Amino acid sequence: MSKFNKIFVAVLVFMTLAMPVTAYGTITTIHAGHGGVDPGALGSGYTEADLARRITANMVAKTGAFDATDNTAVSVNDNLNKIVRNVRLKSSSGSDWNISNHLNAAS
């Protein structure tokens, strides 16, 4: 991993941890994009799924939202269906925010 990429990842993680969450309404669900058999984008030795899970865990800890991520998927479609199911279950009573974390890898 290049020095630039290491610094970029460190800044991204710091910003995620240090910035206060300011949102109007209720954050109901947050999920990490990809997972199960789908790692998402690959770059600099990281997968999109792994980084999105780290960010999602921090956001869930700060907001108290439900983590709708599902790691049991056996296909890309199965992953999407399970995430949609989890979001619908938690937001059926009405919600303001449903967040899906996705990142694109830099090469």
Side-chain angles (χ1 to χ4, degrees):
M1 176 187 271
S2 74
K3 185 176 180 179
F4 173 78
N5 286 342
K6 288 179 184 177
I7 292 170
F8 178 75
V9 169
V11 169
L12 178 66
V13 170
F14 173 77
M15 288 175 58
T16 302
L17 295 173
M19 294 180 69
V21 175
T22 304
Y24 296 99
T26 302
I27 299 174
T28 305
T29 60
I30 302 172
H31 75 86
H34 303 284
V37 298
D38 180 13
L42 305 170
S44 302
Y46 294 96
T47 67
E48 180 179 1
D50 289 340
L51 291 175
R53 274 161 181 63
R54 291 180 192 177
I55 292 168
T56 296
N58 288 324
M59 292 175 72
V60 166
K62 286 185 174 192
T63 64
F66 175 75
D67 186 351
T69 304
D70 190 303
N71 293 315
T72 64
V74 295
S75 70
V76 174
N77 285 339
D78 185 37
N79 186 43
L80 179 60
N81 289 334
K82 288 180 177 181
I83 290 169
V84 169
R85 178 201 64 210
N86 288 342
V87 169
R88 284 185 179 157
L89 285 173
K90 285 295 181 178
S91 63
S92 62
S93 61
S95 66
D96 297 311
W97 293 87
N98 296 296
I99 299 171
S100 174
N101 286 320
H102 289 268
L103 302 103
N104 293 320
S107 55

